[in-house]
Amino acid sequence: FTAIAFLTCPRHLSPLVSSLRIGPISNIDAGWDLDYDFKTARINASNVFAGFHIGEINVSGGDAYLYIPADILSSTNAATSFHQFRTQVGYGHLNKPGLTGSATFGFDANQGLLQYTAVQATYNWDCCGITLEYRRFALSRIRDESQYFFTYSLANIGSFGNLTRRMRLY
């Protein structure tokens, strides 16, 4: 649910928010989230994604679109839309012995550039494991930085590092 419609003017009804999730077979899942505003007769947000996994290998991709009306942006009189393609490829899972890895990319369709990249790898032994991650943000003049994360885990005891559970790719 996006709040874009409520920022432009008061209203009594919210836009139509639709969410569709399907998993026709055990190794395929897909979905579509849509936010349609009847008052302005346009799509405010749309997010389409699909994933496929076979054994330890998984591949997913998505298309995200967000429309921001001109009256919200004070610096310009033109409406702005954001359109991004995302993909992720991975092998294994968090507790798998040996090597596990995943990479994800975010491509801005409007500007034609790669905005986001993250690569994460884990190696687990019998008693412990280590996870390393590299992230790169290239958001034009707003944000241009690289980040490095790690976690060292001891089985049945805990873990320490700056890579939190919610930041993991898998």
Side-chain angles (χ1 to χ4, degrees):
F1 181 69
T2 59
I4 300 296
F6 296 98
L7 295 174
T8 58
C9 62
R11 53 179 69 220
H12 298 289
L13 297 173
S14 71
L16 172 67
V17 178
S18 176
S19 182
L20 172 69
R21 303 278 187 271
I22 60 171
I25 55 178
S26 64
N27 60 343
I28 295 177
D29 59 334
W32 183 28
D33 297 324
L34 179 71
D35 186 345
Y36 182 81
D37 190 355
F38 288 103
K39 190 170 186 175
T40 59
R42 76 169 165 256
I43 295 173
N44 285 339
S46 177
N47 186 17
V48 178
F49 60 90
F52 174 75
H53 61 275
I54 184 163
E56 296 287 331
I57 299 171
N58 60 65
V59 177
S60 63
D63 177 22
Y65 171 79
L66 177 65
Y67 177 86
I68 299 177
D71 19 354
I72 293 176
L73 304 171
S74 60
S75 63
T76 179
N77 292 331
T80 302
S81 67
F82 299 95
H83 193 186
Q84 187 179 60
F85 298 109
R86 292 175 288 202
T87 186
Q88 183 169 352
V89 178
Y91 171 75
H93 54 84
L94 182 61
N95 297 322
K96 174 189 169 296
L99 186 63
T100 296
S102 186
T104 184
F105 307 96
F107 181 79
D108 187 327
N110 293 345
Q111 296 181 9
L113 59 95
L114 190 64
Q115 285 187 329
Y116 174 76
T117 304
V119 178
Q120 187 177 97
T122 301
Y123 193 88
N124 289 319
W125 293 271
D126 291 336
C127 63
C128 56
I130 188 163
T131 301
L132 303 171
E133 181 176 326
Y134 167 77
R135 290 185 187 183
R136 173 80 178 137
F137 295 94
L139 304 174
S140 188
R141 292 169 288 184
I142 299 170
R143 187 175 182 186
D144 188 5
E145 67 178 291
S146 295
Q147 299 175 337
Y148 300 92
F149 300 97
F150 81 97
T151 297
Y152 182 76
S153 303
L154 291 171
N156 299 320
I157 295 176
S159 62
F160 72 92
N162 61 351
L163 180 62
T164 63
R165 175 176 236 112
R166 66 179 182 87
M167 295 166 57
R168 291 184 179 264
L169 297 179
Y170 45 86

